Amino acid sequence: MKDFDGKVALVTGTTGIGLATARRLAAGGAAIIACGIDRAANAAMKAELASSGAEALVMDADVSVPDQVRGAVAAGVERFGGLDIIVNSAAVHPYGTAVSTDFDTWNKAMSVNVGSIYLTAHFGIPEMTRRGGGAIVNVASVQGFACQQNVAAYATTKGAIHTLTRALALDHARSGIRVNSVSPGSIRTPILEKAARGDHGSDADVEEAYRRFGEAHPIGRIGEPEEVAELIAFLCSAKAGFCTGADYKIDGGLTAGIGVK
Ligand SMILES: NC(=O)c1ccc[n+]([C@@H]2O[C@H](COP(=O)([O-])OP(=O)(O)OC[C@H]3O[C@@H](n4cnc5c(N)ncnc54)[C@H](O)[C@@H]3O)[C@@H](O)[C@H]2O)c1
């Protein structure tokens, strides 16, 4: 018996940590409902999960749009019979100060990064409650604790995710629903690659930036999406039955010290 046999998991974001998590949960026997706006990534995920023999419904869906989240939850429940797990990994990462960030960009960050977690909870928790419980894991960031400069909107969303995680955990604990967040440091995914490449960077520039980012972490390297997926899978599993309302850092020691190399 695998750890997620008979479970149905909704995962937002179809690249990076979302993709690694969908793979991990599917390998554990879960049926996957995945939502993303990157159509090419969605098609690749669909093909990969199908060829691995997993049950999966991969949908082109914008997780900041209520009807699209409602539709994804409904389609998944109809196909697989219910919902047990939600992993919220989709996000945008705008750069800017409060002065240089325009209001549309600010609102988009709030609605994609935080609003989507409200929406998956709003439509998903009633389904989880019908099953007698479940688990939600929200992907936050170390930026929710100690942020860099020029990421005002992004960092704000990550702090909000920590708070929303606690609120959801308290409100739904007696329904058997556990809610936690994970806060990664730098992880090798498309979001980090974009930061590493800048406007015109080469692949060598990206690797050099990854090395530099890694140096900032006491452990001396950046993390891999599979490492984050493994922590998420643990929090989704029955082994984490007493874990709720908490954040779990996975940052190579980044936030353990002050200016430590
Ligand atoms: N990679 C890192 O260094 C790092 C560090 C800390 C936190 N995180 C967080 O990890 C999570 C996953 O990011 P990642 O690193 O895998 O990068 P990623 O860019 O691969 O993943 C983000 C995904 O969100 C999707 N997305 C964006 N807007 C969407 C929308 N409106 N509707 C549906 N999907 C949408 C993107 O298409 C992409 O697939 C994010 O919440 C990110 O903030 C990443």
Side-chain angles (χ1 to χ4, degrees):
M1 169 112 180
K2 295 195 252 180
D3 42 2
F4 298 110
D5 272 342
K7 302 292 184 193
V8 181
L10 170 67
V11 179
T12 74
T14 53
T15 56
I17 293 167
L19 173 61
T21 302
R23 282 178 180 145
R24 171 63 184 82
L25 297 177
I32 305 295
I33 310 160
C35 298
I37 43 159
D38 181 337
R39 284 168 181 264
N42 296 351
M45 184 199 256
K46 188 174 172 181
E48 182 189 320
L49 291 177
S51 75
S52 73
E55 287 203 276
L57 182 61
V58 183
M59 302 187 63
D60 300 331
D62 182 331
V63 294
S64 66
V65 177
D67 278 350
Q68 296 191 25
V69 177
R70 179 173 40 214
V73 170
V77 167
E78 190 182 331
R79 171 97 158 252
F80 301 124
L83 182 65
D84 307 286
I85 291 166
I86 300 173
V87 178
N88 290 294
S89 187
V92 289
H93 191 321
Y95 288 90
T97 65
V99 173
S100 64
T101 301
D102 64 53
F103 196 46
D104 285 348
T105 303
W106 176 270
N107 283 337
K108 184 172 179 192
M110 296 303 146
S111 66
V112 175
N113 297 11
V114 187
S116 65
I117 297 177
Y118 151 75
L119 287 172
T120 58
H122 183 75
F123 295 115
I125 284 177
E127 296 298 339
M128 298 167 101
T129 304
R130 265 190 273 286
R131 300 269 267 200
I136 299 176
V137 179
N138 302 319
V139 183
S141 169
V142 289
Q143 304 258 13
F145 294 103
C147 66
Q148 295 172 308
Q149 293 172 302
N150 209 37
V151 288
Y154 179 77
T156 301
T157 66
K158 295 301 177 176
I161 291 171
H162 292 152
T163 302
L164 180 54
T165 297
R166 289 191 288 271
L168 292 171
L170 295 178
D171 288 344
H172 304 287
R174 294 298 171 102
S175 302
I177 296 168
R178 297 180 299 99
V179 188
N180 295 287
S181 60
V182 297
S183 287
S186 295
I187 308 296
R188 188 191 308 272
T189 71
I191 255 181
L192 193 71
E193 185 181 337
K194 213 178 285 172
R197 192 176 295 280
D199 288 336
H200 306 291
S202 64
D203 288 352
D205 294 331
V206 171
E207 284 310 316
E208 170 53 22
Y210 284 170
R211 194 198 56 73
R212 268 196 335 271
F213 299 159
E215 276 295 305
H217 294 64
I219 223 161
R221 64 171 175 86
I222 62 171
E224 301 298 330
E226 291 73 20
E227 293 176 301
V228 183
E230 202 55 51
L231 174 59
I232 293 172
F234 167 72
L235 291 169
C236 291
S237 77
K239 292 175 190 155
F242 202 52
C243 300
T244 198
D247 181 78
Y248 297 83
K249 289 179 187 168
I250 175 160
D251 69 354
L254 184 65
T255 53
I258 301 170
V260 179
K261 279 262 168 99

